[in-house]
């Protein structure tokens, strides 16, 4: 397998996110985000880690963009921190923050790297959390103000936009389970956040379409093949419910299909009876591309003791399957299967893989990181993607997660996903063997 097998126009990139790499979290005019405050709460992030400094990308962006180029990628995906440019979430603009992203974009363009800009990658301004954050309909007007500012400010330079990163991720972890910022729990909060995020992704698309000429507009979804533990009716139905929740909840309203209530009746109660439902016509947008983010499959078993979903995950470790340092099963066939599942929606124009990667317990020894497991992971997942592409799936790009080890949310700095090793004490970067593997993969004719 060579990069050329994917076609000369195929876009190869690396992905990052503001809160995970930038640092300068409370300086240079930036207002706090929900992650800055959440990480200060005892026990919320492993080892008390905090995004305050992260990878110091705020100061080192030139060197880091140089690394993107050295590794041979054509695309750099990064996100704009909402509270860096609008410290209170709305109103007052922080010019220093505005200039920072001008500099990042200009640096990409000067290096012939295409910027893919994510608007919302989980770092809501703390000021908006006080009003209920994503559970409150007022977030939609505020989000639209932020999108409008970004579109007007950067739209003449940036053509490729991602409205929201993994809405299922931040609504479920942050508003139902409480393990991510802002730490809210319960189904009422979750489903309110789901509906407002669904409106936001489509509204964001419309604003970009009206403000940015020749914009290429996408949004991203996490996805996992859901494998029933057995072929028993109970396990099959449990798997179907989890599929509705994890794979279908956000994309189907975006595509104009509404929420998947027919396959999981509970959704009916939480969607059509919610006040946000009166805006349901705003939940649809004709995206130019859909970004899929896949890491692992899930094996699901019926469990009557779990409220509402009545389903339980049988972990990779307990099934004695190969897994990453996150405990996520390594299974490239499931990547192929989930790509095919999404490709079956008739009205998706094209798919991009906007994240895929793996964390391992990397060791830096004599300036080398020998991360063969990561190389194996990428090569098997790329082969699976090529198979889907060769069967006619319109996949036009792939972005590896991630450029360098960074702040992995509630896991802190211990979970290392980077192609480049970050020493968080010195901010020294060291290209891992997997980084060199990518370089030669992308250079090969
Ligand atoms: C999903 C998220 O978009 C990203 O921020 C995160 O670091 C990776 N997946 C790995 O968990």
């Amino acid at each position: 397998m060579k990069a050329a097998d994917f076609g000369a126009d195929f876009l190869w990139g690396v992905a990052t996110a503001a809160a995970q790499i930038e640092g300068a979290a409370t300086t240079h005019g930036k207002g706090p985000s929900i992650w800055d405050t959440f990480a200060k709460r005892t026990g919320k992030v492993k080892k008390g880690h905090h995004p305050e400094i992260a990878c110091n990308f705020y100061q080192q962006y030139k060197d880091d963009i140089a690394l993107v180029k050295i590794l041979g990628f054509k695309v750099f995906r990064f996100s704009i921190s909402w509270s860096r440019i609008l410290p209170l979430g709305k109103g007052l603009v922080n010019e220093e923050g505005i200039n920072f992203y001008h500099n990042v974009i200009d640096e990409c363009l000067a290096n012939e790297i295409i910027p893919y800009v994510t608007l919302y990658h989980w770092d809501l301004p703390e000021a908006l959390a006080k009003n209920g954050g994503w559970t409150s309909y007022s977030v939609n007007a505020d989000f639209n103000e932020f999108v409008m500012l970004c579109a007007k400010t950067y739209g003449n330079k940036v053509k490729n936009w991602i409205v929201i990163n993994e809405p299922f991720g931040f609504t479920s972890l942050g508003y139902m389970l409480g393990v991510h910022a802002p730490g809210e729990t319960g189904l009422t909060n979750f489903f309110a956040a789901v509906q407002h995020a669904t409106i936001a992704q489509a509204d964001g698309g419309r604003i970009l379409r009206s403000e940015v000429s020749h914009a290429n507009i996408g949004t991203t979804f996490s996805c996992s093949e859901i494998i029933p533990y057995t072929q028993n009716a109970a396990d099959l139905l449990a798997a179907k419910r989890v599929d509705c929740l994890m794979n279908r909840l956000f994309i189907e309203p975006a595509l104009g299909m509404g929420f998947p209530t027919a396959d999981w009746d509970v959704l009916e109660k939480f969607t059509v009876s919610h006040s946000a439902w009166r805006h349901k016509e705003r939940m649809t947008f004709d995206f130019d591309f859909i970004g899929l983010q896949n890491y692992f499959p899930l094996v699901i078993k019926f469990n009557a003791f779990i409220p509402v979903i009545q389903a339980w995950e049988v972990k990779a470790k307990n099934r004695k399957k190969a897994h990453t340092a996150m405990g996520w099963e390594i299974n490239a066939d499931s990547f192929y299967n989930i790509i095919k599942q999404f490709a079956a929606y008739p009205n998706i124009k094209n798919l991009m893989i906007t994240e895929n990667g793996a964390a391992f317990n990397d060791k830096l020894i004599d300036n080398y990181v020998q991360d063969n497991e990561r190389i194996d992971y990428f090569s098997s997942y790329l082969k699976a993607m090529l198979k889907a592409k060769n069967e006619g799936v319109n996949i036009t790009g792939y972005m590896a997660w991630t450029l360098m080890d960074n702040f992995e949310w509630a896991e802190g700095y211990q979970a290392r996903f980077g192609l480049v090793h970050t020493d968080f004490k010195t901010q020294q970067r060291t290209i891992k063997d997997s980084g060199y593997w990518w370089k030669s993969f992308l250079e090969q004719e």
Side-chain angles (χ1 to χ4, degrees):
M1 179 187 54
K2 306 187 294 295
D5 297 339
F6 292 79
D9 295 337
F10 196 83
L11 283 173
W12 296 98
V14 270
T16 62
Q20 295 181 270
I21 63 168
E22 284 180 3
T26 50
T27 60
H28 302 269
K30 177 177 169 293
S33 84
I34 53 174
W35 272 96
D36 299 320
T37 47
F38 184 73
K40 286 196 180 128
R41 287 166 58 187
T42 314
K44 294 297 180 192
V45 177
K46 282 193 183 156
K47 302 208 157 190
H49 287 168
H50 192 280
E52 186 77 43
I53 298 173
C55 303
N56 193 33
F57 178 80
Y58 192 79
Q59 311 285 351
Q60 295 180 214
Y61 68 92
K62 286 193 180 178
D63 293 341
D64 290 333
I65 292 168
L67 280 169
V68 176
K69 185 149 179 114
I70 289 168
L71 295 181
F73 290 102
K74 285 274 173 307
V75 167
F76 180 48
R77 177 184 168 205
F78 60 93
S79 74
I80 295 183
S81 156
W82 185 344
S83 63
R84 186 176 297 290
I85 64 170
L86 289 164
L88 300 174
K90 56 181 156 189
L92 177 85
V93 172
N94 174 27
E95 289 304 331
E96 195 175 339
I98 294 278
N99 287 337
F100 171 65
Y101 295 109
H102 271 304
N103 293 341
V104 171
I105 294 162
D106 292 345
E107 191 66 19
C108 287
L109 298 176
N111 282 285
E112 294 178 328
I113 287 168
I114 307 166
Y116 267 65
V117 173
T118 312
L119 288 165
Y120 187 74
H121 202 126
W122 302 2
D123 47 354
L124 188 77
E126 174 63 27
L128 302 182
K130 298 198 173 101
N131 302 331
W134 285 100
T135 67
S136 163
Y137 177 56
S138 63
V139 78
N140 286 101
D142 300 336
F143 181 70
N144 290 352
E145 181 181 331
F146 166 59
V147 177
M148 185 63 89
L149 176 64
C150 293
K152 283 192 186 299
T153 310
Y154 307 116
N156 61 339
K157 300 178 187 171
V158 173
K159 296 299 165 198
N160 301 287
W161 296 86
I162 290 170
V163 180
I164 289 188
N165 180 73
E166 291 193 1
F168 180 70
F170 77 84
T171 53
S172 63
L173 300 169
Y175 289 91
M176 179 167 60
L177 301 173
V179 295
H180 272 198
E184 305 292 343
T185 53
L187 288 177
T188 308
N189 282 328
F190 171 61
F191 279 108
V194 167
Q195 300 221 56
H196 298 132
T198 307
I199 296 168
Q201 69 191 2
D203 272 2
R206 276 183 288 275
I207 293 169
L208 291 165
R209 180 76 79 232
S210 73
E211 298 301 317
V212 180
S213 57
H214 309 295
N216 180 34
I217 305 164
T219 199
T220 75
F221 301 104
S222 51
C223 57
S224 283
E225 187 195 4
I226 306 299
I227 304 169
Y229 185 62
T230 70
Q231 292 301 307
N232 292 343
D235 283 351
L236 289 172
L237 285 172
K240 190 175 252 186
R241 289 191 292 277
V242 175
D243 189 44
C244 286
L245 181 69
M246 296 189 62
N247 293 321
R248 301 174 54 191
L249 192 60
F250 287 92
I251 189 163
E252 295 195 0
L255 295 176
M257 302 163 68
F259 290 105
T261 48
D263 283 327
W264 188 21
D265 52 0
V266 164
L267 287 179
E268 177 99 9
K269 174 168 159 232
F270 284 102
T271 55
V272 295
S273 63
H274 190 276
S275 61
W277 188 245
R278 67 186 187 280
H279 305 288
K280 64 174 181 301
E281 72 293 343
R282 272 167 64 194
M283 295 181 182
T284 301
F285 180 70
D286 185 23
F287 286 102
D288 298 313
F289 69 94
I290 293 296
L292 296 185
Q293 316 205 146
N294 174 261
Y295 291 84
F296 53 83
L298 289 175
V299 171
I300 295 295
K301 199 176 159 105
F302 171 73
N303 186 326
F305 295 105
I306 308 297
V308 188
I309 189 101
Q310 298 202 304
W312 187 249
E313 184 203 348
V314 188
K315 300 262 189 217
K317 197 170 141 214
N318 299 336
R319 290 179 287 112
K320 306 209 174 359
K321 296 284 184 194
H323 53 273
T324 69
M326 301 287 281
W328 297 348
E329 181 177 341
I330 302 171
N331 181 338
D333 291 341
S334 79
F335 185 40
Y336 166 85
N337 291 339
I338 197 70
I339 291 173
K340 295 287 271 200
Q341 179 175 329
F342 275 74
Y345 286 115
N347 39 356
I348 291 182
K349 293 180 189 158
N350 79 66
L351 292 174
M352 289 188 92
I353 306 304
T354 40
E355 277 187 31
N356 170 243
F360 292 105
N361 295 320
D362 300 330
K363 297 271 172 295
L364 177 70
I365 299 167
D366 298 335
N367 268 327
Y368 287 98
V369 178
Q370 294 189 323
D371 55 340
N372 294 329
E373 291 168 294
R374 187 173 286 106
I375 295 172
D376 292 346
Y377 179 97
F378 279 124
S379 79
S380 68
Y381 273 63
L382 293 188
K383 278 183 195 131
M385 178 173 72
L386 183 58
K387 183 173 166 210
K389 189 166 169 27
N390 286 342
E391 286 171 11
V393 177
N394 191 19
I395 308 178
T396 55
Y398 172 98
M399 302 176 200
W401 185 267
T402 180
L403 176 61
M404 62 228 170
D405 299 333
N406 58 42
F407 179 71
E408 177 57 24
W409 310 113
E411 299 296 315
Y413 294 103
Q414 268 188 319
R416 293 180 176 272
F417 280 84
L419 306 182
V420 174
H421 179 274
T422 307
D423 179 325
F424 292 103
K425 288 203 181 78
T426 62
Q427 293 299 343
Q428 177 78 33
R429 315 286 197 245
T430 307
I431 299 177
K432 300 180 190 177
D433 282 2
S434 60
Y436 289 114
W437 179 87
W438 268 104
K439 185 173 163 58
S440 62
F441 173 75
L442 295 172
E443 274 170 359
Q444 218 178 337
E445 290 298 320

